[in-house]
Amino acid sequence: MLTADFYPSSVSVIIPAYGRANFLRESLRVLLSDYYHELDIIVVDDGSPQVLQTELASEFRDLPVRFFRQSNSGTTAARNYGASVAGGSYLLFIDDDDLFIPESLNWRVDALNRDPQAVAVAGRCRFLRDGRYDECQPKFTTKSLSHWDFLSGNRFYSPGQVLIRASAFHASGGFRSEFNGSEDWEMWVRLALLGSFIADDRLALDYRFHDGNYSQKVTLMCHTARRVVEEISKSLCPAHIAIGRYLAYRYVSTVYDNKLRSALVAAISVNDRETCTSVTREIGFLTRATNGACLSLKWALIRDHRRIRMSEHELNLIGQRCPDCAGRSLS
C-alpha cells in the first residue's frame, strides 16, 4: 500500500481511480485551485496497470493529496477504503473524471454546520460534453429531501454532488458493492433514514460525459437498479410497499427503457448477438417488473383507499406522512 502524510481536515475528498491519469490530474488541479483550507484529498488507485502515484505524486508533492493503492476491487470498495482512512468531519466522493466546482465546499460545509440534524447537503451538477457545457440538472423541487423522496428515484447524477457527514456515512454502513452502478442511490435511502438531506440549487459538480462512463453499461446499470428497488422496498411498512415499488420502478423504467431499446438497435445494426440477447432479456425483466408493480399498486389502492388510481403527488404524500415507513431501517 502506498501512503502519504496525514493532513488534518474538516473535509476529506475521496477519489477512486483506475488509469485515466489525465482526467485525474485535471480533477486534482481543479480541487486544489479552490484550496479549501482544511482539505484532505485521498486518491485510491484501484489496481491500475500503471501506478498512479508514480505518474502524479511529484506534481502534487507538499499538497494535501494522499495516494493509496488496492488490488482491483471496483469503485465501491475504493470509496469505502478511502472513507476508512479519512479523518475529515465531512466526506466528498468524486470520480476521477468529475470536475469539482470551486468554492462549492464553503456553502456545503456551512449548511451542515448550521443544521446538526442534516446528514448531507447536495448541489446541482452541470453536464460537460466534448469540452462544452450543454445543460444543467433541473432545480430541486424541494429544499429538503426525505427518505421517501429517494424511493421514487436517485436525485443526483453523481455522488460528487453530495457532501456527507462522516459520522452518518459510517453509521449507514457505507456503499454496498452488490449494487455496483446504483450503489449511491441505495445508500441515499439508508442515509436519509438517519436524517435529512439539504438540497441547494447552487452548482456543486461538473459531470463529464465520455466513452468510458460507467453509465454507458446500460444493461448492467438497469439490472442493478432493479435490485436496488427490491432492496429499498424493505424500508417501507407493509401497507406502503406497493406504492414505493411502483414509484421506484416507474423511475427505473423512465431512465432505462429508451436506453435499452437504443442499445438493442445498435447491437442489431452490427449483428452483435450476445448483446442483443442480454439487452432483450433485460427489457423483458424490466417490463414484467414494472407491470407487476402497477398491478400491485392498483390492488393496494382498491383494498386500502377504495380508488383505482392516484396521482404521483398523492402517492408520495401517503408515504411521507407514514411514521412506520420512515422509522424502519435497511440492514
Side-chain angles (χ1 to χ4, degrees), residues 85-119:
V85 298
S89 300
Y90 306 119
L91 304 178
L92 180 67
F93 297 90
I94 68 173
D95 293 331
D96 58 359
D97 53 353
D98 285 338
L99 294 174
F100 167 81
I101 299 292
E103 300 184 6
S104 69
L105 272 180
N106 290 315
W107 56 262
R108 284 188 273 183
V109 169
D110 287 345
L112 288 177
N113 285 341
R114 289 195 307 269
D115 187 353
Q117 302 304 314
V119 295

PDB file of all heavy atoms in Angstrom, residues 85-119:
ATOM      1  N   VAL A  85      -9.844   5.575   5.835  1.00  0.00           N
ATOM      2  CA  VAL A  85      -8.587   6.248   6.197  1.00  0.00           C
ATOM      3  C   VAL A  85      -8.754   7.764   6.254  1.00  0.00           C
ATOM      4  O   VAL A  85      -7.786   8.491   6.476  1.00  0.00           O
ATOM      5  CB  VAL A  85      -7.460   5.879   5.208  1.00  0.00           C
ATOM      6  CG1 VAL A  85      -7.177   4.389   5.248  1.00  0.00           C
ATOM      7  CG2 VAL A  85      -7.795   6.326   3.783  1.00  0.00           C
ATOM      8  N   ALA A  86      -9.977   8.237   6.058  1.00  0.00           N
ATOM      9  CA  ALA A  86     -10.243   9.670   6.058  1.00  0.00           C
ATOM     10  C   ALA A  86     -10.372  10.183   7.491  1.00  0.00           C
ATOM     11  O   ALA A  86     -10.897   9.497   8.360  1.00  0.00           O
ATOM     12  CB  ALA A  86     -11.521   9.964   5.281  1.00  0.00           C
ATOM     13  N   GLY A  87      -9.917  11.391   7.706  1.00  0.00           N
ATOM     14  CA  GLY A  87     -10.029  11.989   9.031  1.00  0.00           C
ATOM     15  C   GLY A  87     -10.973  13.155   9.089  1.00  0.00           C
ATOM     16  O   GLY A  87     -11.177  13.738  10.159  1.00  0.00           O
ATOM     17  N   GLY A  88     -11.582  13.518   7.968  1.00  0.00           N
ATOM     18  CA  GLY A  88     -12.436  14.690   7.922  1.00  0.00           C
ATOM     19  C   GLY A  88     -13.786  14.477   8.597  1.00  0.00           C
ATOM     20  O   GLY A  88     -14.296  13.354   8.655  1.00  0.00           O
ATOM     21  N   SER A  89     -14.361  15.563   9.073  1.00  0.00           N
ATOM     22  CA  SER A  89     -15.711  15.512   9.640  1.00  0.00           C
ATOM     23  C   SER A  89     -16.747  15.311   8.549  1.00  0.00           C
ATOM     24  O   SER A  89     -17.843  14.811   8.818  1.00  0.00           O
ATOM     25  CB  SER A  89     -16.013  16.809  10.395  1.00  0.00           C
ATOM     26  OG  SER A  89     -15.094  17.008  11.442  1.00  0.00           O
ATOM     27  N   TYR A  90     -16.399  15.704   7.314  1.00  0.00           N
ATOM     28  CA  TYR A  90     -17.301  15.571   6.182  1.00  0.00           C
ATOM     29  C   TYR A  90     -16.577  14.843   5.055  1.00  0.00           C
ATOM     30  O   TYR A  90     -15.362  14.977   4.889  1.00  0.00           O
ATOM     31  CB  TYR A  90     -17.773  16.947   5.701  1.00  0.00           C
ATOM     32  CG  TYR A  90     -18.382  17.785   6.794  1.00  0.00           C
ATOM     33  CD1 TYR A  90     -17.832  19.014   7.145  1.00  0.00           C
ATOM     34  CD2 TYR A  90     -19.506  17.338   7.483  1.00  0.00           C
ATOM     35  CE1 TYR A  90     -18.387  19.777   8.155  1.00  0.00           C
ATOM     36  CE2 TYR A  90     -20.069  18.096   8.493  1.00  0.00           C
ATOM     37  CZ  TYR A  90     -19.508  19.318   8.830  1.00  0.00           C
ATOM     38  OH  TYR A  90     -20.049  20.055   9.843  1.00  0.00           O
ATOM     39  N   LEU A  91     -17.344  14.077   4.278  1.00  0.00           N
ATOM     40  CA  LEU A  91     -16.776  13.291   3.184  1.00  0.00           C
ATOM     41  C   LEU A  91     -17.388  13.719   1.857  1.00  0.00           C
ATOM     42  O   LEU A  91     -18.604  13.915   1.755  1.00  0.00           O
ATOM     43  CB  LEU A  91     -17.055  11.797   3.402  1.00  0.00           C
ATOM     44  CG  LEU A  91     -16.578  11.181   4.719  1.00  0.00           C
ATOM     45  CD1 LEU A  91     -16.985   9.712   4.779  1.00  0.00           C
ATOM     46  CD2 LEU A  91     -15.077  11.334   4.893  1.00  0.00           C
ATOM     47  N   LEU A  92     -16.544  13.819   0.846  1.00  0.00           N
ATOM     48  CA  LEU A  92     -16.993  14.104  -0.511  1.00  0.00           C
ATOM     49  C   LEU A  92     -16.399  13.040  -1.427  1.00  0.00           C
ATOM     50  O   LEU A  92     -15.175  12.870  -1.469  1.00  0.00           O
ATOM     51  CB  LEU A  92     -16.530  15.495  -0.951  1.00  0.00           C
ATOM     52  CG  LEU A  92     -16.922  15.925  -2.365  1.00  0.00           C
ATOM     53  CD1 LEU A  92     -18.441  16.097  -2.472  1.00  0.00           C
ATOM     54  CD2 LEU A  92     -16.213  17.224  -2.760  1.00  0.00           C
ATOM     55  N   PHE A  93     -17.256  12.320  -2.138  1.00  0.00           N
ATOM     56  CA  PHE A  93     -16.815  11.265  -3.050  1.00  0.00           C
ATOM     57  C   PHE A  93     -16.960  11.765  -4.476  1.00  0.00           C
ATOM     58  O   PHE A  93     -18.075  11.976  -4.957  1.00  0.00           O
ATOM     59  CB  PHE A  93     -17.655  10.005  -2.868  1.00  0.00           C
ATOM     60  CG  PHE A  93     -17.547   9.386  -1.502  1.00  0.00           C
ATOM     61  CD1 PHE A  93     -18.411   9.752  -0.486  1.00  0.00           C
ATOM     62  CD2 PHE A  93     -16.564   8.434  -1.236  1.00  0.00           C
ATOM     63  CE1 PHE A  93     -18.314   9.184   0.777  1.00  0.00           C
ATOM     64  CE2 PHE A  93     -16.456   7.862   0.024  1.00  0.00           C
ATOM     65  CZ  PHE A  93     -17.335   8.238   1.034  1.00  0.00           C
ATOM     66  N   ILE A  94     -15.849  11.967  -5.159  1.00  0.00           N
ATOM     67  CA  ILE A  94     -15.937  12.349  -6.565  1.00  0.00           C
ATOM     68  C   ILE A  94     -15.224  11.284  -7.389  1.00  0.00           C
ATOM     69  O   ILE A  94     -14.317  10.595  -6.905  1.00  0.00           O
ATOM     70  CB  ILE A  94     -15.366  13.754  -6.850  1.00  0.00           C
ATOM     71  CG1 ILE A  94     -13.856  13.790  -6.659  1.00  0.00           C
ATOM     72  CG2 ILE A  94     -16.060  14.796  -5.998  1.00  0.00           C
ATOM     73  CD1 ILE A  94     -13.258  15.118  -7.106  1.00  0.00           C
ATOM     74  N   ASP A  95     -15.634  11.128  -8.630  1.00  0.00           N
ATOM     75  CA  ASP A  95     -14.981  10.182  -9.530  1.00  0.00           C
ATOM     76  C   ASP A  95     -13.789  10.856 -10.189  1.00  0.00           C
ATOM     77  O   ASP A  95     -13.702  12.093 -10.243  1.00  0.00           O
ATOM     78  CB  ASP A  95     -15.972   9.675 -10.574  1.00  0.00           C
ATOM     79  CG  ASP A  95     -17.065   8.819  -9.962  1.00  0.00           C
ATOM     80  OD1 ASP A  95     -16.797   8.179  -8.921  1.00  0.00           O
ATOM     81  OD2 ASP A  95     -18.183   8.786 -10.507  1.00  0.00           O
ATOM     82  N   ASP A  96     -12.889  10.046 -10.725  1.00  0.00           N
ATOM     83  CA  ASP A  96     -11.661  10.626 -11.278  1.00  0.00           C
ATOM     84  C   ASP A  96     -11.901  11.442 -12.537  1.00  0.00           C
ATOM     85  O   ASP A  96     -11.011  12.174 -12.981  1.00  0.00           O
ATOM     86  CB  ASP A  96     -10.607   9.538 -11.530  1.00  0.00           C
ATOM     87  CG  ASP A  96     -11.092   8.453 -12.478  1.00  0.00           C
ATOM     88  OD1 ASP A  96     -12.251   8.519 -12.935  1.00  0.00           O
ATOM     89  OD2 ASP A  96     -10.307   7.519 -12.768  1.00  0.00           O
ATOM     90  N   ASP A  97     -13.106  11.326 -13.128  1.00  0.00           N
ATOM     91  CA  ASP A  97     -13.401  12.134 -14.311  1.00  0.00           C
ATOM     92  C   ASP A  97     -14.344  13.296 -13.991  1.00  0.00           C
ATOM     93  O   ASP A  97     -14.748  14.038 -14.892  1.00  0.00           O
ATOM     94  CB  ASP A  97     -14.000  11.271 -15.427  1.00  0.00           C
ATOM     95  CG  ASP A  97     -15.201  10.458 -14.968  1.00  0.00           C
ATOM     96  OD1 ASP A  97     -15.505  10.460 -13.760  1.00  0.00           O
ATOM     97  OD2 ASP A  97     -15.851   9.818 -15.819  1.00  0.00           O
ATOM     98  N   ASP A  98     -14.714  13.454 -12.713  1.00  0.00           N
ATOM     99  CA  ASP A  98     -15.555  14.578 -12.299  1.00  0.00           C
ATOM    100  C   ASP A  98     -14.716  15.836 -12.131  1.00  0.00           C
ATOM    101  O   ASP A  98     -13.511  15.774 -11.856  1.00  0.00           O
ATOM    102  CB  ASP A  98     -16.248  14.287 -10.961  1.00  0.00           C
ATOM    103  CG  ASP A  98     -17.390  13.302 -11.096  1.00  0.00           C
ATOM    104  OD1 ASP A  98     -17.921  13.164 -12.219  1.00  0.00           O
ATOM    105  OD2 ASP A  98     -17.751  12.683 -10.083  1.00  0.00           O
ATOM    106  N   LEU A  99     -15.376  16.975 -12.263  1.00  0.00           N
ATOM    107  CA  LEU A  99     -14.717  18.256 -12.022  1.00  0.00           C
ATOM    108  C   LEU A  99     -15.477  19.005 -10.928  1.00  0.00           C
ATOM    109  O   LEU A  99     -16.663  19.332 -11.082  1.00  0.00           O
ATOM    110  CB  LEU A  99     -14.667  19.094 -13.302  1.00  0.00           C
ATOM    111  CG  LEU A  99     -13.791  18.539 -14.432  1.00  0.00           C
ATOM    112  CD1 LEU A  99     -13.941  19.386 -15.689  1.00  0.00           C
ATOM    113  CD2 LEU A  99     -12.332  18.475 -13.999  1.00  0.00           C
ATOM    114  N   PHE A 100     -14.794  19.260  -9.838  1.00  0.00           N
ATOM    115  CA  PHE A 100     -15.334  19.977  -8.699  1.00  0.00           C
ATOM    116  C   PHE A 100     -15.603  21.433  -9.073  1.00  0.00           C
ATOM    117  O   PHE A 100     -14.859  22.038  -9.836  1.00  0.00           O
ATOM    118  CB  PHE A 100     -14.298  19.864  -7.572  1.00  0.00           C
ATOM    119  CG  PHE A 100     -14.499  20.764  -6.406  1.00  0.00           C
ATOM    120  CD1 PHE A 100     -15.400  20.437  -5.413  1.00  0.00           C
ATOM    121  CD2 PHE A 100     -13.761  21.927  -6.283  1.00  0.00           C
ATOM    122  CE1 PHE A 100     -15.571  21.262  -4.319  1.00  0.00           C
ATOM    123  CE2 PHE A 100     -13.914  22.754  -5.197  1.00  0.00           C
ATOM    124  CZ  PHE A 100     -14.825  22.416  -4.206  1.00  0.00           C
ATOM    125  N   ILE A 101     -16.683  22.000  -8.533  1.00  0.00           N
ATOM    126  CA  ILE A 101     -16.972  23.421  -8.749  1.00  0.00           C
ATOM    127  C   ILE A 101     -16.287  24.233  -7.655  1.00  0.00           C
ATOM    128  O   ILE A 101     -16.604  24.071  -6.468  1.00  0.00           O
ATOM    129  CB  ILE A 101     -18.492  23.706  -8.711  1.00  0.00           C
ATOM    130  CG1 ILE A 101     -19.213  22.938  -9.822  1.00  0.00           C
ATOM    131  CG2 ILE A 101     -18.763  25.208  -8.832  1.00  0.00           C
ATOM    132  CD1 ILE A 101     -18.900  23.401 -11.222  1.00  0.00           C
ATOM    133  N   PRO A 102     -15.303  25.080  -7.997  1.00  0.00           N
ATOM    134  CA  PRO A 102     -14.603  25.860  -6.982  1.00  0.00           C
ATOM    135  C   PRO A 102     -15.574  26.645  -6.091  1.00  0.00           C
ATOM    136  O   PRO A 102     -16.578  27.168  -6.554  1.00  0.00           O
ATOM    137  CB  PRO A 102     -13.718  26.803  -7.813  1.00  0.00           C
ATOM    138  CG  PRO A 102     -13.467  26.035  -9.074  1.00  0.00           C
ATOM    139  CD  PRO A 102     -14.753  25.307  -9.346  1.00  0.00           C
ATOM    140  N   GLU A 103     -15.241  26.692  -4.810  1.00  0.00           N
ATOM    141  CA  GLU A 103     -15.969  27.406  -3.763  1.00  0.00           C
ATOM    142  C   GLU A 103     -17.263  26.719  -3.335  1.00  0.00           C
ATOM    143  O   GLU A 103     -17.940  27.199  -2.428  1.00  0.00           O
ATOM    144  CB  GLU A 103     -16.264  28.864  -4.171  1.00  0.00           C
ATOM    145  CG  GLU A 103     -15.004  29.673  -4.453  1.00  0.00           C
ATOM    146  CD  GLU A 103     -15.312  31.125  -4.748  1.00  0.00           C
ATOM    147  OE1 GLU A 103     -16.483  31.530  -4.627  1.00  0.00           O
ATOM    148  OE2 GLU A 103     -14.364  31.849  -5.104  1.00  0.00           O
ATOM    149  N   SER A 104     -17.597  25.574  -3.939  1.00  0.00           N
ATOM    150  CA  SER A 104     -18.844  24.926  -3.533  1.00  0.00           C
ATOM    151  C   SER A 104     -18.714  24.227  -2.179  1.00  0.00           C
ATOM    152  O   SER A 104     -19.722  23.931  -1.536  1.00  0.00           O
ATOM    153  CB  SER A 104     -19.302  23.913  -4.602  1.00  0.00           C
ATOM    154  OG  SER A 104     -18.441  22.791  -4.669  1.00  0.00           O
ATOM    155  N   LEU A 105     -17.492  23.953  -1.740  1.00  0.00           N
ATOM    156  CA  LEU A 105     -17.339  23.348  -0.417  1.00  0.00           C
ATOM    157  C   LEU A 105     -17.733  24.317   0.688  1.00  0.00           C
ATOM    158  O   LEU A 105     -18.275  23.902   1.715  1.00  0.00           O
ATOM    159  CB  LEU A 105     -15.897  22.888  -0.198  1.00  0.00           C
ATOM    160  CG  LEU A 105     -15.543  21.479  -0.665  1.00  0.00           C
ATOM    161  CD1 LEU A 105     -14.086  21.178  -0.364  1.00  0.00           C
ATOM    162  CD2 LEU A 105     -16.436  20.443  -0.027  1.00  0.00           C
ATOM    163  N   ASN A 106     -17.480  25.594   0.500  1.00  0.00           N
ATOM    164  CA  ASN A 106     -17.764  26.564   1.554  1.00  0.00           C
ATOM    165  C   ASN A 106     -19.226  26.564   1.951  1.00  0.00           C
ATOM    166  O   ASN A 106     -19.560  26.461   3.131  1.00  0.00           O
ATOM    167  CB  ASN A 106     -17.336  27.973   1.106  1.00  0.00           C
ATOM    168  CG  ASN A 106     -15.836  28.121   1.020  1.00  0.00           C
ATOM    169  OD1 ASN A 106     -15.112  27.696   1.916  1.00  0.00           O
ATOM    170  ND2 ASN A 106     -15.344  28.698  -0.061  1.00  0.00           N
ATOM    171  N   TRP A 107     -20.129  26.652   0.966  1.00  0.00           N
ATOM    172  CA  TRP A 107     -21.542  26.720   1.337  1.00  0.00           C
ATOM    173  C   TRP A 107     -22.085  25.358   1.776  1.00  0.00           C
ATOM    174  O   TRP A 107     -23.021  25.290   2.584  1.00  0.00           O
ATOM    175  CB  TRP A 107     -22.387  27.321   0.217  1.00  0.00           C
ATOM    176  CG  TRP A 107     -22.337  26.691  -1.141  1.00  0.00           C
ATOM    177  CD1 TRP A 107     -21.599  27.096  -2.210  1.00  0.00           C
ATOM    178  CD2 TRP A 107     -23.088  25.555  -1.596  1.00  0.00           C
ATOM    179  NE1 TRP A 107     -21.824  26.281  -3.302  1.00  0.00           N
ATOM    180  CE2 TRP A 107     -22.750  25.336  -2.962  1.00  0.00           C
ATOM    181  CE3 TRP A 107     -24.033  24.711  -1.006  1.00  0.00           C
ATOM    182  CZ2 TRP A 107     -23.302  24.313  -3.726  1.00  0.00           C
ATOM    183  CZ3 TRP A 107     -24.580  23.686  -1.760  1.00  0.00           C
ATOM    184  CH2 TRP A 107     -24.216  23.496  -3.095  1.00  0.00           C
ATOM    185  N   ARG A 108     -21.479  24.274   1.283  1.00  0.00           N
ATOM    186  CA  ARG A 108     -21.942  22.962   1.727  1.00  0.00           C
ATOM    187  C   ARG A 108     -21.521  22.691   3.181  1.00  0.00           C
ATOM    188  O   ARG A 108     -22.303  22.180   3.986  1.00  0.00           O
ATOM    189  CB  ARG A 108     -21.415  21.866   0.786  1.00  0.00           C
ATOM    190  CG  ARG A 108     -22.180  21.829  -0.539  1.00  0.00           C
ATOM    191  CD  ARG A 108     -21.795  20.630  -1.379  1.00  0.00           C
ATOM    192  NE  ARG A 108     -20.630  20.880  -2.225  1.00  0.00           N
ATOM    193  CZ  ARG A 108     -20.133  20.008  -3.087  1.00  0.00           C
ATOM    194  NH1 ARG A 108     -20.683  18.811  -3.216  1.00  0.00           N
ATOM    195  NH2 ARG A 108     -19.083  20.303  -3.828  1.00  0.00           N
ATOM    196  N   VAL A 109     -20.287  23.047   3.518  1.00  0.00           N
ATOM    197  CA  VAL A 109     -19.839  22.894   4.903  1.00  0.00           C
ATOM    198  C   VAL A 109     -20.665  23.784   5.827  1.00  0.00           C
ATOM    199  O   VAL A 109     -21.091  23.362   6.910  1.00  0.00           O
ATOM    200  CB  VAL A 109     -18.337  23.215   5.025  1.00  0.00           C
ATOM    201  CG1 VAL A 109     -17.923  23.330   6.495  1.00  0.00           C
ATOM    202  CG2 VAL A 109     -17.504  22.145   4.332  1.00  0.00           C
ATOM    203  N   ASP A 110     -20.905  25.012   5.405  1.00  0.00           N
ATOM    204  CA  ASP A 110     -21.707  25.926   6.222  1.00  0.00           C
ATOM    205  C   ASP A 110     -23.098  25.353   6.485  1.00  0.00           C
ATOM    206  O   ASP A 110     -23.633  25.463   7.595  1.00  0.00           O
ATOM    207  CB  ASP A 110     -21.832  27.291   5.530  1.00  0.00           C
ATOM    208  CG  ASP A 110     -20.538  28.095   5.585  1.00  0.00           C
ATOM    209  OD1 ASP A 110     -19.652  27.732   6.395  1.00  0.00           O
ATOM    210  OD2 ASP A 110     -20.412  29.061   4.816  1.00  0.00           O
ATOM    211  N   ALA A 111     -23.699  24.750   5.464  1.00  0.00           N
ATOM    212  CA  ALA A 111     -25.049  24.205   5.615  1.00  0.00           C
ATOM    213  C   ALA A 111     -25.072  23.084   6.652  1.00  0.00           C
ATOM    214  O   ALA A 111     -25.983  23.008   7.487  1.00  0.00           O
ATOM    215  CB  ALA A 111     -25.560  23.692   4.267  1.00  0.00           C
ATOM    216  N   LEU A 112     -24.073  22.204   6.631  1.00  0.00           N
ATOM    217  CA  LEU A 112     -24.037  21.110   7.602  1.00  0.00           C
ATOM    218  C   LEU A 112     -23.680  21.619   8.994  1.00  0.00           C
ATOM    219  O   LEU A 112     -24.162  21.082  10.000  1.00  0.00           O
ATOM    220  CB  LEU A 112     -23.040  20.041   7.159  1.00  0.00           C
ATOM    221  CG  LEU A 112     -23.479  19.195   5.953  1.00  0.00           C
ATOM    222  CD1 LEU A 112     -22.374  18.211   5.574  1.00  0.00           C
ATOM    223  CD2 LEU A 112     -24.763  18.439   6.243  1.00  0.00           C
ATOM    224  N   ASN A 113     -22.843  22.631   9.073  1.00  0.00           N
ATOM    225  CA  ASN A 113     -22.523  23.207  10.381  1.00  0.00           C
ATOM    226  C   ASN A 113     -23.744  23.850  11.031  1.00  0.00           C
ATOM    227  O   ASN A 113     -23.913  23.798  12.258  1.00  0.00           O
ATOM    228  CB  ASN A 113     -21.415  24.247  10.241  1.00  0.00           C
ATOM    229  CG  ASN A 113     -20.046  23.612  10.025  1.00  0.00           C
ATOM    230  OD1 ASN A 113     -19.853  22.438  10.319  1.00  0.00           O
ATOM    231  ND2 ASN A 113     -19.105  24.390   9.516  1.00  0.00           N
ATOM    232  N   ARG A 114     -24.612  24.432  10.205  1.00  0.00           N
ATOM    233  CA  ARG A 114     -25.796  25.111  10.746  1.00  0.00           C
ATOM    234  C   ARG A 114     -26.894  24.138  11.140  1.00  0.00           C
ATOM    235  O   ARG A 114     -27.731  24.465  11.980  1.00  0.00           O
ATOM    236  CB  ARG A 114     -26.348  26.107   9.713  1.00  0.00           C
ATOM    237  CG  ARG A 114     -25.491  27.339   9.498  1.00  0.00           C
ATOM    238  CD  ARG A 114     -26.279  28.422   8.766  1.00  0.00           C
ATOM    239  NE  ARG A 114     -26.877  27.929   7.535  1.00  0.00           N
ATOM    240  CZ  ARG A 114     -26.281  27.979   6.355  1.00  0.00           C
ATOM    241  NH1 ARG A 114     -25.063  28.508   6.248  1.00  0.00           N
ATOM    242  NH2 ARG A 114     -26.878  27.530   5.278  1.00  0.00           N
ATOM    243  N   ASP A 115     -26.909  22.973  10.531  1.00  0.00           N
ATOM    244  CA  ASP A 115     -28.001  22.028  10.781  1.00  0.00           C
ATOM    245  C   ASP A 115     -27.431  20.680  11.223  1.00  0.00           C
ATOM    246  O   ASP A 115     -27.142  19.814  10.400  1.00  0.00           O
ATOM    247  CB  ASP A 115     -28.836  21.849   9.512  1.00  0.00           C
ATOM    248  CG  ASP A 115     -30.085  21.003   9.740  1.00  0.00           C
ATOM    249  OD1 ASP A 115     -30.235  20.448  10.850  1.00  0.00           O
ATOM    250  OD2 ASP A 115     -30.892  20.869   8.804  1.00  0.00           O
ATOM    251  N   PRO A 116     -27.289  20.462  12.530  1.00  0.00           N
ATOM    252  CA  PRO A 116     -26.705  19.201  13.013  1.00  0.00           C
ATOM    253  C   PRO A 116     -27.562  17.983  12.738  1.00  0.00           C
ATOM    254  O   PRO A 116     -27.083  16.849  12.846  1.00  0.00           O
ATOM    255  CB  PRO A 116     -26.555  19.441  14.521  1.00  0.00           C
ATOM    256  CG  PRO A 116     -27.550  20.507  14.845  1.00  0.00           C
ATOM    257  CD  PRO A 116     -27.608  21.382  13.634  1.00  0.00           C
ATOM    258  N   GLN A 117     -28.844  18.173  12.384  1.00  0.00           N
ATOM    259  CA  GLN A 117     -29.723  17.040  12.080  1.00  0.00           C
ATOM    260  C   GLN A 117     -29.585  16.571  10.637  1.00  0.00           C
ATOM    261  O   GLN A 117     -30.043  15.480  10.289  1.00  0.00           O
ATOM    262  CB  GLN A 117     -31.194  17.427  12.341  1.00  0.00           C
ATOM    263  CG  GLN A 117     -31.469  17.880  13.766  1.00  0.00           C
ATOM    264  CD  GLN A 117     -31.059  16.835  14.790  1.00  0.00           C
ATOM    265  OE1 GLN A 117     -31.362  15.650  14.631  1.00  0.00           O
ATOM    266  NE2 GLN A 117     -30.369  17.262  15.839  1.00  0.00           N
ATOM    267  N   ALA A 118     -28.967  17.375   9.795  1.00  0.00           N
ATOM    268  CA  ALA A 118     -28.805  17.008   8.384  1.00  0.00           C
ATOM    269  C   ALA A 118     -27.629  16.056   8.226  1.00  0.00           C
ATOM    270  O   ALA A 118     -26.572  16.243   8.844  1.00  0.00           O
ATOM    271  CB  ALA A 118     -28.592  18.244   7.529  1.00  0.00           C
ATOM    272  N   VAL A 119     -27.807  15.032   7.417  1.00  0.00           N
ATOM    273  CA  VAL A 119     -26.732  14.062   7.180  1.00  0.00           C
ATOM    274  C   VAL A 119     -25.928  14.399   5.928  1.00  0.00           C
ATOM    275  O   VAL A 119     -24.813  13.907   5.761  1.00  0.00           O
ATOM    276  CB  VAL A 119     -27.294  12.631   7.063  1.00  0.00           C
ATOM    277  CG1 VAL A 119     -27.915  12.199   8.384  1.00  0.00           C
ATOM    278  CG2 VAL A 119     -28.314  12.521   5.926  1.00  0.00           C
TER     279      VAL A 119
END
